[in-house]
Amino acid sequence: MMKVAVIGLGWMGRIHLRNYTEMADVEVVGVMDVDKEARAQAQEQFGVATFADLDELLKLDIDAVSVCVPTSLHHSVGLTIIDKGIDLLIEKPLAVDVQQGRDLVEAAKAKSVSLMVGHIERYNPAVQRVKELVGEDMISITIERVGPYPPRIQDVGVIKDLGAHDLDMIRNITGSEFKSLYAVKSSTLGKHEDTALITAEMENGVLANISTNWVTPYKARKVSVACESKYISANLITQEVKEYSAFSTYDAAYSVREWPLMFREPVKTELTDFLGALREGKPMPVSGEDGLRVLEAFERIFECAD
């Protein structure tokens, strides 16, 4: 039986809490949030002990923690947990900037604490299928991640909130690091950027493009990968994947194959993987270093986009 806690009861924190409570081999020993109403809702719905103070929560016997607080608090909350020697999963992005992310990674190593970063799209069945289908003949990857402005996000812009998914996804699918990064951005609805276009070249030569914004009235999450031998398109919301053959000049045609997937909730798979790695003493599936690479990409993006 793993004893876990959830810190931060916003939208994602509640998803973590619900999934933990549905696991037969997990006990949620407590949750923490500064918002009284959020604590009351969690206690009523899940019957868990609630805390308004982080130090009080960490006095409990805890094996692992999910950190789901705003990004601006990842550094301070994460360091406090690491100092207690408790393994943790921090929601993406790892931290506000590279230095804070490096602090977390180095502190975890010094304390022999396991640190995982919640880049949830790695657990989307559609993304996993795309990664299985691509080969060494990959040419480019294009990602569209757009939707309406989210009032719940106040401390970062669209690049750090939505773009974090795609920067990690590109590294994951291509199996390569960023060689060059370019970006333009604009702010229309708030103090942070809400539209961004990001273009990159990977060290293995694959080209990448991200279009992301908070000004589209509907939600879309799409990935397209061009290879010499095929073309792959995926809808990350419906978890649908199609594979197109190369165009035949002989008969002016191409074939299409739909890859059926069993719909799975990515967060449940992610948390199961997190706790499984802890039980078996294995490296974290999405490491602190993975999270740090995304923060380094942010730094390069803002240098050229400012």
Side-chain angles (χ1 to χ4, degrees):
M1 182 69 69
M2 294 284 285
K3 297 180 179 180
V4 305
V6 177
I7 300 172
L9 294 172
W11 178 72
M12 184 56 77
R14 291 194 298 271
I15 293 176
H16 278 235
L17 175 56
R18 173 176 57 78
N19 277 285
Y20 280 138
T21 60
E22 292 172 357
M23 296 178 183
D25 52 357
V26 171
E27 177 188 358
V28 180
V29 296
V31 298
M32 179 265 162
D33 198 289
V34 295
D35 184 86
K36 183 178 180 180
E37 184 176 340
R39 296 197 304 272
Q41 290 176 351
Q43 202 283 327
E44 179 180 358
Q45 184 175 359
F46 299 104
V48 295
T50 64
F51 297 81
D53 182 79
L54 178 59
D55 291 332
E56 289 300 312
L57 171 68
L58 296 181
K59 290 178 181 179
L60 302 177
D61 180 16
I62 302 173
D63 296 312
V65 171
S66 279
V67 178
C68 304
V69 297
T71 304
S72 58
L73 299 176
H74 285 187
H75 183 254
S76 60
V77 171
L79 289 179
T80 299
I81 295 166
I82 290 169
D83 187 58
K84 298 290 185 180
I86 301 172
D87 299 318
L88 70 165
L89 183 155
I90 298 182
E91 267 302 324
K92 65 82 201 165
L94 173 60
V96 168
D97 56 36
V98 172
Q99 186 55 59
Q100 289 192 2
R102 191 171 291 121
D103 289 346
L104 289 165
V105 170
E106 292 177 354
K109 285 183 178 179
K111 282 280 190 176
S112 297
V113 165
S114 293
L115 167 61
M116 180 166 167
V117 184
H119 283 291
I120 189 62
E121 289 290 25
R122 293 202 184 201
Y123 292 92
N124 188 315
V127 173
Q128 294 175 337
R129 179 53 55 86
V130 169
K131 186 174 181 180
E132 292 171 359
L133 293 175
V134 299
E136 294 182 358
D137 62 345
M138 193 186 327
I139 300 169
S140 66
I141 178 169
T142 301
I143 303 175
E144 178 189 27
R145 188 179 298 271
V146 298
Y149 187 83
R152 67 184 178 85
I153 304 295
Q154 298 292 329
D155 58 338
V156 295
V158 72
I159 292 175
K160 290 188 176 181
D161 183 57
L162 297 188
H165 289 296
D166 302 321
L167 292 166
D168 181 72
M169 195 192 313
I170 289 169
R171 291 182 63 248
N172 183 36
I173 292 176
T174 64
S176 185
E177 300 296 341
F178 294 102
K179 178 180 178 181
S180 57
L181 269 169
Y182 311 92
V184 289
K185 62 182 177 66
S186 65
S187 302
T188 305
L189 303 176
K191 62 179 181 178
H192 300 289
E193 84 284 344
D194 46 46
T195 299
L197 301 174
I198 303 167
T199 301
E201 180 183 6
M202 309 306 290
E203 289 179 354
N204 63 2
V206 175
L207 304 182
N209 189 68
I210 300 170
S211 174
T212 187
N213 71 54
W214 280 333
V215 297
T216 304
Y218 60 86
K219 185 177 179 180
R221 308 285 189 264
K222 299 177 181 178
V223 178
S224 301
V225 180
C227 304
E228 293 180 26
S229 59
K230 65 181 75 174
Y231 183 83
I232 306 159
S233 67
N235 185 318
L236 305 188
I237 297 175
T238 61
Q239 298 184 5
E240 296 174 293
V241 178
K242 294 183 180 180
E243 180 183 10
Y244 299 78
S245 69
F247 182 78
S248 171
T249 55
Y250 175 75
D251 53 10
Y254 60 88
S255 62
V256 183
R257 178 177 183 178
E258 294 192 25
W259 286 90
L261 295 169
M262 181 177 292
F263 188 91
R264 297 199 308 270
E265 183 178 9
V267 173
K268 183 176 290 294
T269 309
E270 175 188 53
L271 297 180
T272 300
D273 221 14
F274 169 54
L275 296 181
L278 292 179
R279 286 190 177 99
E280 297 172 21
K282 293 182 177 180
M284 288 293 99
V286 188
S287 67
E289 286 79 3
D290 286 320
L292 195 54
R293 297 293 87 78
V294 172
L295 297 183
E296 290 169 350
F298 286 158
E299 190 172 84
R300 295 168 65 182
I301 287 169
F302 284 103
E303 283 177 358
C304 68
D306 283 338

